[in-house]
Amino acid sequence: MIYADNAATTKMSRTAIDAMLPYMEEIWGNPSSLYEVGQRAQEALWSARERIAAAIGATPKEIYFTSGGSEADNQAIISAARWGERKGKKHIISTAFEHHAVLHTLDKLAREGFEIELLDVHANGLITRDQVADAIREDTCLVTIMFANNEIGTVQPIAQIGSLCKEKGVVFHTDAVQAAGHLPINVQEMNIDLLSMSAHKFHGPKGTGVLYARKGIPLVNVIEGGAQERGKRGGTENVPGIMGMAAALEEECAGMEQNTAKLLKLRDRLIDGLSKIPHSALNGDRESRLPGNVSFCFEGVEGESLLLLLDDKGICASSGSACTSGSLDPSHVLLAIGRPHEVAHGSLRLTLSSENTEEDVDAILKAVPEVVEYLRNMSPLWKDKVSGKKSFVI
Ligand SMILES: *Cc1c(COP(=O)(O)O)cnc(C)c1O
Protein backbone atom coordinates (compact mmCIF):
# COMPACT_ATOMS: atom_id res chain seq x y z
CA MET A 1 0.00 0.00 0.00
CA ILE A 2 1.15 3.52 -0.79
CA TYR A 3 -0.25 5.95 1.74
CA ALA A 4 -0.46 9.45 0.31
CA ASP A 5 -3.22 10.96 2.43
CA ASN A 6 -1.28 12.42 5.34
CA ALA A 7 -3.43 15.55 5.43
CA ALA A 8 -6.35 13.31 6.46
CA THR A 9 -4.38 11.57 9.15
CA THR A 10 -0.89 10.20 9.73
CA LYS A 11 0.39 6.86 10.90
CA MET A 12 1.44 6.99 14.55
CA SER A 13 5.19 6.98 15.02
CA ARG A 14 6.87 4.29 17.10
CA THR A 15 8.14 7.07 19.37
CA ALA A 16 4.57 8.24 20.03
CA ILE A 17 3.29 4.73 20.73
CA ASP A 18 6.20 4.00 23.08
CA ALA A 19 5.56 7.25 24.92
CA MET A 20 1.92 6.27 25.49
CA LEU A 21 2.25 2.69 26.73
CA PRO A 22 3.52 3.45 30.26
CA TYR A 23 0.47 5.69 30.80
CA MET A 24 -1.85 2.79 29.99
CA GLU A 25 0.03 0.00 31.73
CA GLU A 26 1.62 1.59 34.80
CA ILE A 27 0.81 5.25 35.42
CA TRP A 28 -2.90 5.03 34.62
CA GLY A 29 -4.15 7.09 37.56
CA ASN A 30 -6.45 10.07 37.28
CA PRO A 31 -4.22 13.16 37.24
CA SER A 32 -6.62 14.88 39.64
CA SER A 33 -6.19 12.16 42.30
CA LEU A 34 -3.90 12.80 45.25
CA TYR A 35 -2.25 9.39 45.61
CA GLU A 36 0.93 8.52 43.85
CA VAL A 37 -0.31 6.92 40.61
CA GLY A 38 -2.46 10.00 40.05
CA GLN A 39 0.23 12.47 40.96
CA ARG A 40 2.69 10.81 38.62
CA ALA A 41 0.16 11.23 35.81
CA GLN A 42 -0.21 14.89 36.82
CA GLU A 43 3.57 15.37 36.66
CA ALA A 44 3.67 13.72 33.24
CA LEU A 45 0.96 16.09 32.01
CA TRP A 46 2.97 19.06 33.20
CA SER A 47 6.08 17.83 31.42
CA ALA A 48 4.06 17.35 28.21
CA ARG A 49 2.72 20.89 28.60
CA GLU A 50 6.26 22.23 28.95
CA ARG A 51 7.54 20.33 25.94
CA ILE A 52 4.63 21.33 23.71
CA ALA A 53 4.94 24.96 24.82
CA ALA A 54 8.65 24.91 24.02
CA ALA A 55 7.96 23.56 20.52
CA ILE A 56 5.89 26.64 19.59
CA GLY A 57 7.54 29.35 21.70
CA ALA A 58 4.75 29.51 24.30
CA THR A 59 4.75 29.09 28.08
CA PRO A 60 3.25 25.95 29.68
CA LYS A 61 0.32 27.84 31.24
CA GLU A 62 -0.74 28.96 27.77
CA ILE A 63 -1.30 25.34 26.65
CA TYR A 64 -4.79 23.79 27.02
CA PHE A 65 -5.35 20.15 26.09
CA THR A 66 -8.42 19.43 23.96
CA SER A 67 -9.91 16.48 22.08
CA GLY A 68 -8.31 17.65 18.84
CA GLY A 69 -8.15 20.39 16.26
CA SER A 70 -11.90 20.85 15.88
CA GLU A 71 -12.48 21.46 19.58
CA ALA A 72 -9.52 23.85 19.75
CA ASP A 73 -10.91 25.83 16.78
CA ASN A 74 -14.36 25.99 18.39
CA GLN A 75 -13.03 27.15 21.74
CA ALA A 76 -10.63 29.72 20.29
CA ILE A 77 -13.26 31.36 18.11
CA ILE A 78 -16.07 31.32 20.65
CA SER A 79 -13.77 32.72 23.35
CA ALA A 80 -12.59 35.60 21.17
CA ALA A 81 -16.15 36.30 20.05
CA ARG A 82 -17.51 36.45 23.62
CA TRP A 83 -14.66 38.73 24.67
CA GLY A 84 -15.36 41.01 21.73
CA GLU A 85 -19.09 41.00 22.42
CA ARG A 86 -18.48 42.30 25.94
CA LYS A 87 -16.66 45.25 24.40
CA GLY A 88 -19.35 45.81 21.77
CA LYS A 89 -17.21 44.36 18.97
CA LYS A 90 -18.97 41.82 16.77
CA HIS A 91 -17.08 41.83 13.47
CA ILE A 92 -14.96 38.77 12.63
CA ILE A 93 -12.59 38.36 9.67
CA SER A 94 -11.80 34.95 8.21
CA THR A 95 -11.40 33.34 4.80
CA ALA A 96 -13.61 31.33 2.46
CA PHE A 97 -11.32 28.30 2.55
CA GLU A 98 -11.04 27.54 6.25
CA HIS A 99 -11.67 24.09 7.69
CA HIS A 100 -15.31 23.39 8.56
CA ALA A 101 -14.44 23.42 12.27
CA VAL A 102 -13.84 27.16 11.76
CA LEU A 103 -16.52 27.89 9.14
CA HIS A 104 -19.33 26.14 10.99
CA THR A 105 -18.40 27.84 14.28
CA LEU A 106 -18.52 31.17 12.44
CA ASP A 107 -21.95 30.24 10.98
CA LYS A 108 -23.21 29.71 14.50
CA LEU A 109 -21.93 33.13 15.57
CA ALA A 110 -23.49 34.71 12.46
CA ARG A 111 -26.88 33.36 13.56
CA GLU A 112 -26.33 35.13 16.89
CA GLY A 113 -25.75 38.46 15.20
CA PHE A 114 -22.00 38.52 14.63
CA GLU A 115 -20.90 39.94 11.29
CA ILE A 116 -18.61 37.46 9.58
CA GLU A 117 -16.46 38.71 6.70
CA LEU A 118 -14.84 35.95 4.65
CA LEU A 119 -11.93 37.24 2.60
CA ASP A 120 -11.66 36.08 -1.02
CA VAL A 121 -8.74 33.80 -1.58
CA HIS A 122 -6.52 34.65 -4.57
CA ALA A 123 -6.32 32.13 -7.43
CA ASN A 124 -2.95 31.00 -6.03
CA GLY A 125 -4.59 30.02 -2.74
CA LEU A 126 -3.13 32.89 -0.73
CA ILE A 127 -4.48 35.71 1.40
CA THR A 128 -2.40 38.88 1.74
CA ARG A 129 -1.70 41.10 4.72
CA ASP A 130 -3.21 44.02 2.81
CA GLN A 131 -6.52 42.23 2.39
CA VAL A 132 -6.69 41.78 6.14
CA ALA A 133 -5.59 45.40 6.76
CA ASP A 134 -8.38 46.67 4.50
CA ALA A 135 -10.96 44.56 6.29
CA ILE A 136 -10.09 45.43 9.92
CA ARG A 137 -12.55 47.88 11.52
CA GLU A 138 -13.03 49.52 14.91
CA ASP A 139 -15.44 46.75 15.87
CA THR A 140 -13.33 43.79 14.67
CA CYS A 141 -12.86 41.37 17.56
CA LEU A 142 -11.11 38.49 15.79
CA VAL A 143 -9.09 37.57 12.73
CA THR A 144 -9.02 33.79 12.18
CA ILE A 145 -6.92 32.57 9.25
CA MET A 146 -5.48 29.10 8.81
CA PHE A 147 -1.72 28.62 8.84
CA ALA A 148 -1.73 26.15 5.95
CA ASN A 149 -4.68 24.89 3.94
CA ASN A 150 -5.57 21.23 4.35
CA GLU A 151 -6.61 20.68 0.73
CA ILE A 152 -4.29 22.73 -1.44
CA GLY A 153 -1.44 23.12 1.06
CA THR A 154 -0.90 26.86 0.64
CA VAL A 155 0.92 28.52 3.53
CA GLN A 156 -0.42 31.93 4.52
CA PRO A 157 1.72 34.93 5.55
CA ILE A 158 0.96 34.31 9.22
CA ALA A 159 3.76 36.44 10.73
CA GLN A 160 2.71 39.46 8.63
CA ILE A 161 -0.94 39.05 9.58
CA GLY A 162 0.09 38.56 13.22
CA SER A 163 2.05 41.79 13.40
CA LEU A 164 -0.81 43.65 11.72
CA CYS A 165 -3.32 42.32 14.25
CA LYS A 166 -1.02 43.22 17.12
CA GLU A 167 -0.66 46.75 15.77
CA LYS A 168 -4.45 47.09 15.46
CA GLY A 169 -5.21 45.43 18.80
CA VAL A 170 -7.26 42.63 17.22
CA VAL A 171 -7.13 39.03 18.52
CA PHE A 172 -5.51 36.69 15.99
CA HIS A 173 -6.31 32.96 15.84
CA THR A 174 -4.74 30.52 13.43
CA ASP A 175 -5.80 26.95 12.73
CA ALA A 176 -2.30 25.46 12.55
CA VAL A 177 -3.44 21.85 12.36
CA GLN A 178 -1.68 21.26 9.04
CA ALA A 179 1.39 23.27 10.03
CA ALA A 180 2.30 21.98 13.49
CA GLY A 181 5.21 19.58 13.28
CA HIS A 182 5.68 20.41 9.59
CA LEU A 183 6.60 24.11 9.54
CA PRO A 184 8.46 26.24 12.11
CA ILE A 185 6.00 27.96 14.47
CA ASN A 186 6.78 30.57 17.09
CA VAL A 187 3.73 32.23 18.62
CA GLN A 188 5.82 35.07 20.07
CA GLU A 189 7.67 35.99 16.92
CA MET A 190 4.56 35.52 14.79
CA ASN A 191 2.28 37.44 17.19
CA ILE A 192 -0.28 34.65 17.36
CA ASP A 193 -2.84 34.97 20.20
CA LEU A 194 -4.71 31.69 19.72
CA LEU A 195 -3.55 28.59 17.84
CA SER A 196 -5.05 25.14 17.26
CA MET A 197 -3.25 21.89 16.60
CA SER A 198 -4.04 18.20 16.44
CA ALA A 199 -1.77 15.26 17.26
CA HIS A 200 -3.00 12.89 14.56
CA LYS A 201 -1.75 15.23 11.83
CA PHE A 202 1.85 14.88 13.03
CA HIS A 203 2.14 11.15 13.76
CA GLY A 204 0.53 11.32 17.18
CA PRO A 205 -2.73 9.72 18.31
CA LYS A 206 -6.25 10.72 17.24
CA GLY A 207 -8.58 12.50 19.63
CA THR A 208 -6.05 14.80 21.22
CA GLY A 209 -5.00 18.33 20.45
CA VAL A 210 -3.96 21.66 21.87
CA LEU A 211 -5.35 25.13 22.12
CA TYR A 212 -2.62 27.68 22.75
CA ALA A 213 -4.07 30.85 24.26
CA ARG A 214 -1.85 33.83 24.98
CA LYS A 215 -1.83 34.89 28.64
CA GLY A 216 -4.60 37.41 29.24
CA ILE A 217 -7.04 36.08 26.64
CA PRO A 218 -10.14 34.96 28.55
CA LEU A 219 -11.21 31.47 27.45
CA VAL A 220 -14.81 30.34 27.49
CA ASN A 221 -15.53 26.65 28.14
CA VAL A 222 -16.99 24.62 25.33
CA ILE A 223 -16.88 21.51 27.55
CA GLU A 224 -18.25 22.17 31.03
CA GLY A 225 -17.16 19.90 33.83
CA GLY A 226 -14.48 19.66 36.48
CA ALA A 227 -11.62 22.01 37.15
CA GLN A 228 -9.22 20.40 34.66
CA GLU A 229 -7.15 22.66 32.40
CA ARG A 230 -7.35 25.47 34.96
CA GLY A 231 -11.16 25.35 34.77
CA LYS A 232 -11.27 26.01 31.04
CA ARG A 233 -11.90 22.48 29.76
CA GLY A 234 -13.77 19.91 31.83
CA GLY A 235 -13.06 16.20 31.51
CA THR A 236 -10.33 13.85 32.70
CA GLU A 237 -7.26 14.49 30.60
CA ASN A 238 -6.34 11.92 27.94
CA VAL A 239 -2.97 11.26 29.57
CA PRO A 240 -1.68 8.57 27.16
CA GLY A 241 -2.82 10.61 24.17
CA ILE A 242 -1.19 13.77 25.48
CA MET A 243 2.09 11.93 26.15
CA GLY A 244 2.00 10.52 22.62
CA MET A 245 1.28 13.98 21.24
CA ALA A 246 4.20 15.59 23.08
CA ALA A 247 6.61 12.88 21.93
CA ALA A 248 5.38 13.07 18.32
CA LEU A 249 5.63 16.85 18.20
CA GLU A 250 9.15 16.85 19.61
CA GLU A 251 10.22 14.19 17.14
CA GLU A 252 8.73 16.01 14.16
CA CYS A 253 10.25 19.34 15.21
CA ALA A 254 13.68 17.76 15.70
CA GLY A 255 13.53 16.09 12.27
CA MET A 256 11.82 18.95 10.46
CA GLU A 257 14.75 20.18 8.43
CA GLN A 258 15.67 16.72 7.22
CA ASN A 259 12.06 15.69 6.54
CA THR A 260 11.37 18.90 4.66
CA ALA A 261 14.37 18.43 2.37
CA LYS A 262 13.25 14.89 1.57
CA LEU A 263 9.60 15.83 1.08
CA LEU A 264 10.39 18.76 -1.21
CA LYS A 265 12.23 16.42 -3.57
CA LEU A 266 9.37 13.92 -3.67
CA ARG A 267 6.71 16.61 -3.90
CA ASP A 268 8.41 18.50 -6.71
CA ARG A 269 8.93 15.33 -8.75
CA LEU A 270 5.25 14.57 -8.39
CA ILE A 271 4.21 18.08 -9.35
CA ASP A 272 6.48 18.10 -12.40
CA GLY A 273 5.34 14.65 -13.48
CA LEU A 274 1.61 15.25 -13.04
CA SER A 275 1.85 18.65 -14.77
CA LYS A 276 2.67 16.76 -17.98
CA ILE A 277 -0.88 15.37 -18.08
CA PRO A 278 -2.74 17.54 -20.63
CA HIS A 279 -5.50 19.78 -19.28
CA SER A 280 -4.32 19.50 -15.70
CA ALA A 281 -3.58 22.27 -13.21
CA LEU A 282 -1.79 22.45 -9.90
CA ASN A 283 -4.03 23.90 -7.19
CA GLY A 284 -2.38 26.56 -5.05
CA ASP A 285 0.90 28.41 -5.18
CA ARG A 286 3.89 26.29 -6.12
CA GLU A 287 6.32 27.93 -3.66
CA SER A 288 4.27 28.88 -0.63
CA ARG A 289 2.95 25.40 0.05
CA LEU A 290 3.38 22.59 2.55
CA PRO A 291 6.40 20.40 1.75
CA GLY A 292 4.24 17.28 1.37
CA ASN A 293 1.23 18.65 -0.51
CA VAL A 294 0.38 17.93 -4.16
CA SER A 295 -3.09 19.00 -5.30
CA PHE A 296 -4.28 18.85 -8.90
CA CYS A 297 -7.39 19.26 -10.98
CA PHE A 298 -7.78 17.11 -14.09
CA GLU A 299 -10.39 18.23 -16.55
CA GLY A 300 -12.86 15.61 -17.73
CA VAL A 301 -12.38 13.32 -14.74
CA GLU A 302 -14.59 12.54 -11.75
CA GLY A 303 -12.53 12.72 -8.56
CA GLU A 304 -14.37 9.87 -6.85
CA SER A 305 -13.76 7.48 -9.77
CA LEU A 306 -10.12 8.51 -9.85
CA LEU A 307 -9.74 7.64 -6.17
CA LEU A 308 -11.43 4.26 -6.53
CA LEU A 309 -9.21 3.28 -9.43
CA LEU A 310 -6.12 4.45 -7.56
CA ASP A 311 -7.28 2.44 -4.55
CA ASP A 312 -7.40 -0.64 -6.84
CA LYS A 313 -3.74 0.02 -7.53
CA GLY A 314 -2.99 0.27 -3.82
CA ILE A 315 -2.68 4.05 -3.67
CA CYS A 316 -4.49 5.92 -0.87
CA ALA A 317 -5.24 9.49 -1.90
CA SER A 318 -8.16 11.87 -1.56
CA SER A 319 -10.05 14.33 -3.69
CA GLY A 320 -10.20 17.13 -1.17
CA SER A 321 -10.68 16.94 2.52
CA ALA A 322 -11.75 13.76 4.26
CA CYS A 323 -14.56 15.73 5.86
CA THR A 324 -16.37 16.55 2.62
CA SER A 325 -16.03 13.18 0.94
CA GLY A 326 -19.37 11.46 0.83
CA SER A 327 -21.05 14.66 -0.27
CA LEU A 328 -21.41 15.36 -3.96
CA ASP A 329 -20.65 19.07 -3.64
CA PRO A 330 -17.27 20.09 -4.98
CA SER A 331 -14.75 21.28 -2.42
CA HIS A 332 -15.40 24.77 -1.03
CA VAL A 333 -11.64 25.30 -1.14
CA LEU A 334 -11.35 24.69 -4.88
CA LEU A 335 -14.38 26.89 -5.53
CA ALA A 336 -12.79 29.58 -3.34
CA ILE A 337 -9.69 29.68 -5.55
CA GLY A 338 -11.94 30.08 -8.57
CA ARG A 339 -12.00 26.59 -10.06
CA PRO A 340 -15.24 26.11 -12.01
CA HIS A 341 -17.53 23.36 -10.61
CA GLU A 342 -16.78 21.08 -13.52
CA VAL A 343 -13.03 21.26 -12.93
CA ALA A 344 -13.27 21.19 -9.13
CA HIS A 345 -14.96 17.77 -9.41
CA GLY A 346 -11.80 16.33 -10.94
CA SER A 347 -9.47 16.96 -8.03
CA LEU A 348 -6.76 14.79 -6.56
CA ARG A 349 -4.86 15.47 -3.33
CA LEU A 350 -1.69 13.54 -2.57
CA THR A 351 -0.12 14.36 0.79
CA LEU A 352 3.21 12.78 1.61
CA SER A 353 5.07 12.03 4.81
CA SER A 354 8.73 11.31 5.37
CA GLU A 355 7.86 7.61 5.19
CA ASN A 356 7.12 7.89 1.47
CA THR A 357 9.84 6.87 -0.95
CA GLU A 358 11.07 7.57 -4.47
CA GLU A 359 9.48 4.23 -5.45
CA ASP A 360 6.10 5.49 -4.18
CA VAL A 361 6.49 8.54 -6.40
CA ASP A 362 7.41 6.33 -9.38
CA ALA A 363 4.31 4.22 -8.82
CA ILE A 364 2.03 7.26 -8.48
CA LEU A 365 3.51 8.84 -11.60
CA LYS A 366 2.77 5.66 -13.51
CA ALA A 367 -0.74 5.11 -12.12
CA VAL A 368 -2.29 8.59 -12.24
CA PRO A 369 -1.78 9.32 -15.97
CA GLU A 370 -3.12 5.84 -16.83
CA VAL A 371 -6.20 6.27 -14.70
CA VAL A 372 -6.86 9.81 -15.94
CA GLU A 373 -6.63 8.63 -19.55
CA TYR A 374 -8.87 5.65 -18.90
CA LEU A 375 -11.56 7.82 -17.32
CA ARG A 376 -11.37 10.46 -20.03
CA ASN A 377 -11.75 7.83 -22.73
CA MET A 378 -15.01 6.70 -21.14
CA SER A 379 -16.47 10.20 -21.00
CA PRO A 380 -18.76 11.41 -23.83
CA LEU A 381 -18.12 14.99 -22.73
CA TRP A 382 -14.39 14.48 -23.13
CA LYS A 383 -14.92 13.16 -26.67
CA ASP A 384 -16.84 16.34 -27.50
CA LYS A 385 -13.95 18.39 -26.22
CA VAL A 386 -11.33 16.46 -28.14
CA SER A 387 -13.38 16.75 -31.36
CA GLY A 388 -13.78 20.49 -30.80
CA LYS A 389 -17.56 20.40 -30.25
CA LYS A 390 -17.03 21.73 -26.73
CA SER A 391 -14.12 23.76 -25.43
CA PHE A 392 -11.60 22.92 -22.75
CA VAL A 393 -11.67 24.83 -19.49
CA ILE A 394 -8.03 24.29 -18.47
C1 LIG B 1 -7.74 17.83 10.51
C2 LIG B 1 -7.99 19.29 10.62
C3 LIG B 1 -8.80 19.82 11.63
C4 LIG B 1 -9.54 18.94 12.60
O1 LIG B 1 -8.71 18.32 13.52
P1 LIG B 1 -9.29 17.05 14.36
O2 LIG B 1 -8.23 16.77 15.36
O3 LIG B 1 -9.46 15.95 13.38
O4 LIG B 1 -10.55 17.51 15.00
C5 LIG B 1 -8.93 21.18 11.71
N1 LIG B 1 -8.32 22.00 10.84
C6 LIG B 1 -7.53 21.54 9.86
C7 LIG B 1 -6.84 22.49 8.95
C8 LIG B 1 -7.35 20.16 9.71
O5 LIG B 1 -6.57 19.71 8.72
Side-chain angles (χ1 to χ4, degrees):
M1 177 182 90
I2 296 174
Y3 186 75
D5 201 14
N6 286 278
T9 196
T10 56
K11 180 181 162 189
M12 276 185 69
S13 70
R14 181 41 56 189
T15 310
I17 295 170
D18 288 343
M20 292 173 75
L21 290 175
Y23 297 90
M24 295 189 260
E25 293 176 331
E26 295 146 37
I27 312 161
W28 39 262
N30 187 321
S32 301
S33 300
L34 293 178
Y35 39 76
E36 197 197 338
V37 72
Q39 284 306 297
R40 285 180 65 198
Q42 180 66 259
E43 284 158 23
L45 276 187
W46 184 257
S47 86
R49 213 181 288 284
E50 286 178 328
R51 291 152 64 200
I52 290 168
I56 60 167
T59 61
K61 285 188 174 162
E62 295 173 317
I63 300 297
Y64 297 84
F65 296 124
T66 67
S67 66
S70 300
E71 188 189 322
D73 283 341
N74 274 256
Q75 190 170 13
I77 291 167
I78 289 171
S79 297
R82 294 285 171 254
W83 199 28
E85 197 171 29
R86 290 202 293 277
K87 297 185 276 191
K89 298 180 173 192
K90 294 182 76 169
H91 177 242
I92 298 176
I93 299 167
S94 188
T95 77
F97 76 161
E98 297 297 311
H99 190 273
H100 284 125
V102 169
L103 289 177
H104 290 169
T105 304
L106 294 175
D107 285 345
K108 203 156 77 172
L109 290 169
R111 287 194 294 274
E112 282 183 28
F114 281 83
E115 189 184 335
I116 312 296
E117 185 170 346
L118 298 183
L119 301 176
D120 288 331
V121 184
H122 289 283
N124 63 358
L126 293 171
I127 292 284
T128 63
R129 176 195 181 278
D130 288 349
Q131 275 179 287
V132 183
D134 289 344
I136 289 180
R137 311 191 310 213
E138 279 297 310
D139 62 341
T140 304
C141 63
L142 170 68
V143 169
T144 172
I145 294 181
M146 67 199 323
F147 206 118
N149 185 272
N150 48 304
E151 293 190 29
I152 59 174
T154 47
V155 180
Q156 306 306 318
I158 291 302
Q160 289 179 29
I161 297 170
S163 70
L164 169 73
C165 289
K166 185 181 182 194
E167 200 180 290
K168 301 280 184 186
V170 177
V171 174
F172 177 41
H173 166 249
T174 185
D175 173 341
V177 172
Q178 290 291 332
H182 305 289
L183 297 173
I185 297 179
N186 187 305
V187 293
Q188 286 305 326
E189 289 168 11
M190 295 175 164
N191 291 298
I192 297 166
D193 298 312
L194 295 159
L195 175 143
S196 316
M197 56 181 167
S198 175
H200 78 100
K201 303 290 176 73
F202 51 77
H203 304 282
K206 291 168 187 57
T208 185
V210 160
L211 169 60
Y212 149 79
R214 181 183 294 285
K215 187 170 178 283
I217 300 214
L219 290 186
V220 169
N221 289 55
V222 293
I223 308 283
E224 299 290 352
Q228 293 91 353
E229 298 305 290
R230 297 175 300 295
K232 298 305 177 193
R233 202 277 181 183
T236 303
E237 299 88 344
N238 175 1
V239 182
I242 290 164
M243 299 315 287
M245 168 161 64
L249 187 62
E250 267 183 346
E251 185 178 41
E252 289 308 299
C253 289
M256 195 181 290
E257 217 171 306
Q258 209 180 343
N259 290 342
T260 301
K262 177 180 178 186
L263 284 172
L264 286 178
K265 262 195 224 155
L266 300 177
R267 180 197 78 180
D268 291 342
R269 255 190 77 210
L270 271 179
I271 292 178
D272 290 338
L274 296 179
S275 299
K276 292 191 187 119
I277 297 176
H279 305 286
S280 69
L282 177 69
N283 296 315
D285 194 71
R286 169 124 196 195
E287 301 304 321
S288 190
R289 74 187 298 128
L290 287 167
N293 178 289
V294 177
S295 168
F296 269 85
C297 281
F298 302 109
E299 187 168 355
V301 167
E302 194 54 57
E304 299 278 299
S305 321
L306 182 59
L307 295 187
L308 292 175
L309 293 173
L310 288 177
D311 181 34
D312 282 345
K313 293 174 186 273
I315 298 170
C316 308
S318 86
S319 57
S321 80
C323 326
T324 45
S325 62
S327 86
L328 288 175
D329 295 334
S331 138
H332 69 290
V333 174
L334 297 174
L335 296 181
I337 62 167
R339 295 277 185 235
H341 274 247
E342 183 197 337
V343 173
H345 271 296
S347 61
L348 174 68
R349 178 185 75 179
L350 299 157
T351 45
L352 307 172
S353 84
S354 56
E355 290 211 348
N356 287 109
T357 61
E358 295 284 353
E359 289 72 39
D360 291 352
V361 170
D362 292 337
I364 294 170
L365 286 177
K366 181 168 180 295
V368 175
E370 282 173 8
V371 171
V372 168
E373 192 180 61
Y374 174 80
L375 290 171
R376 283 175 172 173
N377 285 339
M378 293 200 320
S379 151
L381 180 62
W382 186 256
K383 289 200 183 86
D384 284 349
K385 290 187 177 193
V386 174
S387 67
K389 270 197 231 152
K390 290 213 165 70
S391 50
F392 289 107
V393 182
I394 50 176

